[in-house]
Amino acid sequence: MDIIPSEEKLSWRVTGGIIDMFVFGGPTPLAVMEQFTAVIGRPALVPYWTLGWHQCKYGYASVWEVREVVANYSAAGLPLEAQWIDIDQMDHWMDFTFDPVDFPVEEMQALVEDLHANGQKFVPILDPGIKVEPGYHAYDEALKRDLFVRNVEGDPYLGWVWPGPCHFLDYLLPRTAAYWEEELAAHHNILPWDGIWIDMNEISNFCTGDLCRLKPETESEVPTLPSSRQEGLGKDPQWVCHLECWEAQGLNSTQAGWAHPPYDIANGLARSPLGYKVMSVLNSHHDGSSEYDAHQLYSLAQTRVTAAAVESIRRKRPFILSRSSYLGVGAYAAHWTGDNVATWDQLAKSIAGVLNIGLFGIAMGGADICGFQGNTTSELCARWVSLGAFYPFARSHSDLHSTRQELYLWPEVAEAGRQALSQRYRLLPYLYSTMRAAHDTGAPAMRPLWMTFPEDVAGHRNDRQFMFGDALLVTPVLTQGARSVEGHFPPGTWYSLWNASDVVHARANGTDVTLDAPLERIPYHVRGGRIIGTAEPRRTTRDTKAGALTLLVALPGEGSGAERSAHGVVYNDDGESVVQARASPCSFLHANVTVRRDGQGSLSGTLKIAFGSSWAWPGGARYPDDALGGAESVAADGDPPIPWPSLAGLRILGWEGGAPEAVRTRSFRPSGEASGSQGQSVVDLNLAEGARVKDSTLLLSMESVELPLDCPGSLEIEWGPRKTAQYSDV
């Protein structure tokens, strides 16, 4: 299928196949995404830990080298959430096995045990090709149960991938699910991994042909690629086809049309058959589907089966990363852009690539940070980690032939990583809340500017910046040698996360600004009128999540009038339990801040917090004056309590006054046995050390009182001149 867009129309040119067309009326881009994902499936809510930093490389020499990587991250003061290992860990590249020399199972178990003790995770890789080798359990069982995709003659289709001759599992066959879960469970019993990485599942095949057999000289001994730990790659690399393959003969007219459509697609800028380097389009699945019709469904079927198996095995929310994707994969898995290249051009193109992943309904998307193929440079890697720190999925990964590129290898990259990842981990409550919103509404986590600001025409063609959620604007440096960058700001007020006194007040049609961008960091801005949750960053998401919550309040500009308001929702759960169809209202903390200037010019402010379901203020209204109204309805739902951290304080950007003279809190708990104590309490806070103003930012610290966030219940905090920080009797 070719798609030809123009200003007036979209044209589709197809060779055949099954076509389903849906039209989503919007009218806004976010409404289209909500309607679209209602059809294909809402994006999966990922486990909390997946929002940390991930490290991988194809070509780690041994488990001991991997241990050095983990230790070096810690020594450099860099966060490391999850360590990944590519096919190097396998015995001759076969699924569910371990290299007995360089990755012995006992040492792998010790590695994973230590990672878990430190609050870190481990993710291995699996490929869909099962090696044809009698005595190999995964092969024997699948063959016995007749689970492989069939060729045009009705036998298991033979292809060639990393381990050599392979058959491919038919995930459209229901009974394949039980087999796959059994194999995964046995593997997990040996090595308790935390997620699964599925690669090569387009399906990738090193051969092209309808029918294949072993070459005569290889029937007794199949050549294998020397280990990546040995010198060189040999004269006959593994990714070259070692099978004799040919086109099937005697086809009927329908099959001939599949094999040779009216025109060939442009595959790698060359005209190639549909079955080039994949399974033959003449193959058949057990439900009767031809590969011609079902090819795009392979990754969807595999990720669905894998997600269900991982959830069943671990009894926790599954995490699956899939290289191949199709509409609906986002309901089960994350996705990345594949094997990119360490170039400045690919750095820039990664933005559009990851944005497209979100538009396809996959909230958890990313690109290989610093580049997969080729050798990166310290400047390119520094810029890439600053950008990639706000991909939803942030992972460094590089090729067997590439030089090492862990962040600690260059001082300037390590510093860029520390600064960027410190901001990412600080914003984890906001990132996780955004992922929950994506799960509930289909709104991409990483999104183009036009999705949030469709009225800003100047931002429609902008593919060099992006939003994370509706409150964070990222402006990366995409040019070698640059120490400043041109950024477009949609209408509103924007505060730098590095220095809140650096404020951009964008006009109604947007504003372009040249921003400083030293090598160690790029501009991040938060949108005025929003409240986001933040935490004190630590080395792992586990330790970061265990800390107190600080609300970052970005006020709209002074032009908003005598009264300025900001609002936001913070979502919280345990970060790993299986997602239920209905989320607890106690997982949604709604915050509203209003700042007023009286006739004498004095500023006062009020924070109102309540718990309630969905993304609107409890009770249906949007941030009403009565902040306590929703507590009764939350209590009536009878949900188990959600463990919220204490409130460490407020950081209010755009505060144009001095430190307040008084702060008072009022908390409310509804009546009823489920809530225990009831009524309200008023507490005066000693602000001798708890309030200060710096760079137009008011910092209100609550750490000395450990202000709890209890649900059901609600909370108000009022500050200002002493005469205004009072409550009327209730």
Side-chain angles (χ1 to χ4, degrees):
M1 178 171 65
D2 286 342
I3 303 175
I4 302 91
S6 68
E7 292 290 339
E8 296 81 20
K9 63 184 178 181
L10 285 174
S11 300
W12 282 264
R13 298 172 181 169
V14 302
T15 64
I18 300 169
I19 301 173
D20 293 321
M21 181 170 289
F22 295 78
V23 178
F24 303 106
T28 66
L30 287 173
V32 169
M33 290 303 302
E34 185 167 13
Q35 296 155 10
F36 170 57
T37 55
V39 172
I40 67 168
R42 299 283 197 222
L45 179 61
V46 295
Y48 198 93
W49 64 266
T50 64
L51 296 175
W53 176 257
H54 303 254
Q55 177 61 49
C56 187
K57 178 176 174 58
Y58 174 24
Y60 280 135
S62 68
V63 63
W64 299 281
E65 185 174 74
V66 174
R67 277 193 172 277
E68 291 176 2
V69 171
V70 175
N72 288 338
Y73 263 97
S74 178
L78 287 159
L80 176 61
E81 186 67 25
Q83 181 64 54
W84 300 48
I85 303 181
D86 210 309
I87 59 174
D88 309 285
Q89 66 183 309
M90 299 178 181
D91 185 11
H92 292 87
W93 303 279
M94 295 189 296
D95 283 349
F96 311 115
T97 66
F98 299 93
D99 181 329
V101 176
D102 294 319
F103 293 87
V105 64
E106 297 82 4
E107 293 294 334
M108 289 292 292
Q109 290 169 335
L111 169 67
V112 173
E113 182 178 353
D114 290 346
L115 287 171
H116 288 169
N118 293 329
Q120 297 166 308
K121 309 296 182 180
F122 174 74
V123 181
I125 190 171
L126 290 174
D127 293 332
I130 301 299
K131 186 178 182 181
V132 178
E133 183 168 301
Y136 169 38
H137 183 270
Y139 169 73
D140 291 341
E141 278 297 307
L143 186 66
K144 180 175 67 176
R145 302 187 195 188
D146 189 20
L147 304 181
F148 293 124
V149 177
R150 296 165 176 164
N151 64 24
V152 68
E153 295 182 346
D155 299 318
Y157 178 77
L158 184 65
W160 189 282
V161 203
W162 301 118
C166 290
H167 296 322
F168 302 97
L169 292 167
D170 185 354
Y171 290 97
L172 294 178
L173 178 63
R175 65 176 182 269
T176 301
Y179 159 87
W180 192 238
E181 182 174 337
E182 290 168 15
E183 294 296 326
L184 284 167
H187 192 243
H188 188 266
N189 286 338
I190 298 171
L191 192 72
W193 37 257
D194 301 283
I196 288 294
W197 172 18
I198 305 172
D199 200 26
M200 308 289 284
N201 59 333
E202 290 78 18
I203 293 173
S204 182
N205 180 9
F206 300 157
C207 297
T208 299
D210 302 322
L211 298 166
C212 298
R213 65 183 294 274
L214 291 174
K215 294 179 181 179
E217 66 270 19
T218 62
E219 288 180 335
S220 59
E221 182 178 352
V222 177
T224 57
L225 175 68
S227 168
S228 62
R229 278 80 71 187
Q230 298 174 357
E231 295 184 3
L233 294 173
K235 296 180 180 180
D236 202 8
Q238 178 92 4
W239 49 85
V240 170
C241 179
H242 290 278
L243 301 176
E244 285 185 345
C245 299
W246 61 94
E247 287 191 8
Q249 303 299 310
L251 303 178
N252 60 41
S253 59
T254 300
Q255 292 172 319
W258 294 345
H260 297 285
Y263 64 92
D264 288 327
I265 62 170
N267 190 333
L269 302 182
R271 295 293 173 179
S272 306
L274 289 177
Y276 180 74
K277 293 296 184 72
V278 293
M279 287 198 298
S280 168
V281 296
L282 302 180
N283 285 357
S284 62
H285 295 264
H286 289 252
D287 66 353
S289 302
S290 69
E291 180 65 7
Y292 179 81
D293 285 329
H295 172 78
Q296 300 283 51
L297 301 180
Y298 193 89
S299 61
L300 173 60
Q302 187 185 22
T303 54
R304 181 180 62 180
V305 168
T306 305
V310 171
E311 180 180 311
S312 174
I313 292 164
R314 301 187 70 248
R315 304 296 179 185
K316 294 179 181 179
R317 197 178 310 168
F319 175 66
I320 312 298
L321 178 70
S322 173
R323 189 172 86 175
S324 180
S325 66
Y326 186 65
L327 301 182
V329 162
Y332 308 103
H335 179 56
W336 89 107
T337 58
D339 296 350
N340 61 6
V341 183
T343 65
W344 289 90
D345 177 66
Q346 291 276 289
L347 168 67
K349 288 180 178 176
S350 76
I351 299 174
V354 181
L355 290 175
N356 278 334
I357 290 173
L359 294 178
F360 297 148
I362 305 173
M364 191 66 164
D368 287 339
I369 294 171
C370 299
F372 178 76
Q373 295 177 343
N375 296 329
T376 195
T377 66
S378 60
E379 182 185 5
L380 176 60
C381 197
R383 291 308 193 189
W384 212 321
V385 69
S386 297
L387 160 59
F390 285 100
Y391 296 149
F393 174 58
R395 181 184 70 161
S396 172
H397 182 41
S398 59
D399 188 24
L400 173 69
H401 309 281
S402 303
T403 56
R404 297 278 292 274
Q405 59 186 39
E406 289 83 8
L407 301 185
Y408 53 77
L409 292 175
W410 302 272
E412 57 270 40
V413 177
E415 182 57 27
R418 277 187 287 267
Q419 294 205 30
L421 295 176
S422 177
Q423 291 286 15
R424 181 181 178 96
Y425 278 60
R426 179 175 287 109
L427 295 177
L428 277 173
Y430 171 69
L431 304 188
Y432 192 57
S433 300
T434 301
M435 298 303 290
R436 178 72 210 199
H439 175 69
D440 289 341
T441 70
M446 179 175 163
R447 61 186 71 162
L449 274 62
W450 53 259
M451 181 158 283
T452 302
F453 301 95
E455 74 286 353
D456 179 22
V457 177
H460 286 186
R461 296 182 181 274
N462 188 333
D463 61 359
R464 299 177 71 83
Q465 292 173 274
F466 61 89
M467 299 284 296
F468 198 108
D470 74 344
L472 181 65
L473 175 64
V474 178
T475 307
V477 174
L478 306 173
T479 304
Q480 185 176 5
R483 296 298 181 266
S484 63
V485 61
E486 188 83 6
H488 177 77
F489 289 83
T493 302
W494 300 88
Y495 299 90
S496 169
L497 283 182
W498 302 112
N499 184 349
S501 62
D502 291 339
V503 185
V504 176
H505 299 287
R507 299 183 298 269
N509 59 346
T511 299
D512 293 339
V513 179
T514 300
L515 305 163
D516 290 335
L519 183 58
E520 66 271 14
R521 63 175 185 249
I522 63 173
Y524 307 132
H525 287 80
V526 64
R527 179 184 177 190
R530 294 294 184 268
I531 299 175
I532 63 177
T534 69
E536 186 64 25
R538 295 186 172 91
R539 300 285 177 81
T540 64
T541 61
R542 180 195 67 179
D543 294 344
T544 302
K545 194 176 190 298
L549 178 70
T550 296
L551 295 180
L552 176 63
V553 181
L555 295 174
E558 285 280 16
S560 305
E563 181 174 296
R564 296 186 288 162
S565 295
H567 61 269
V569 179
V570 181
Y571 175 80
N572 181 48
D573 60 21
D574 66 9
E576 64 177 14
S577 293
V578 175
V579 178
Q580 303 300 313
R582 173 188 169 278
S584 167
C586 286
S587 283
F588 297 89
L589 182 153
H590 299 258
N592 188 57
V593 165
T594 302
V595 171
R596 303 174 180 85
R597 188 180 297 276
D598 63 20
Q600 289 72 43
S602 298
L603 283 179
S604 61
T606 304
L607 164 70
K608 299 181 178 183
I609 289 177
F611 294 92
S613 59
S614 77
W615 300 95
W617 190 268
R622 190 164 186 83
Y623 305 103
D625 289 336
D626 180 11
L628 308 182
E632 289 283 1
S633 62
V634 171
D637 289 331
D639 292 283
I642 300 296
W644 279 86
S646 61
L647 182 63
L650 307 179
R651 185 172 171 231
I652 304 171
L653 311 183
W655 180 262
E656 301 298 338
E661 298 174 2
V663 171
R664 177 171 291 184
T665 72
R666 179 174 62 157
S667 59
F668 177 86
R669 292 182 64 85
S671 59
E673 295 180 359
S675 60
S677 61
Q678 58 181 329
Q680 64 174 323
S681 62
V682 178
V683 179
D684 287 303
L685 298 182
N686 180 1
L687 289 183
E689 299 180 356
R692 60 190 176 94
V693 175
K694 180 182 179 182
D695 297 330
S696 299
T697 300
L698 172 60
L699 303 172
L700 292 178
S701 174
M702 314 293 174
E703 291 181 344
S704 62
V705 296
E706 296 184 352
L707 200 60
L709 295 171
D710 294 326
C711 180
S714 50
L715 173 72
E716 287 188 8
I717 301 176
E718 189 176 49
W719 62 92
R722 186 167 296 277
K723 65 180 185 299
T724 65
Q726 299 175 3
Y727 292 101
S728 58
D729 292 336
V730 177

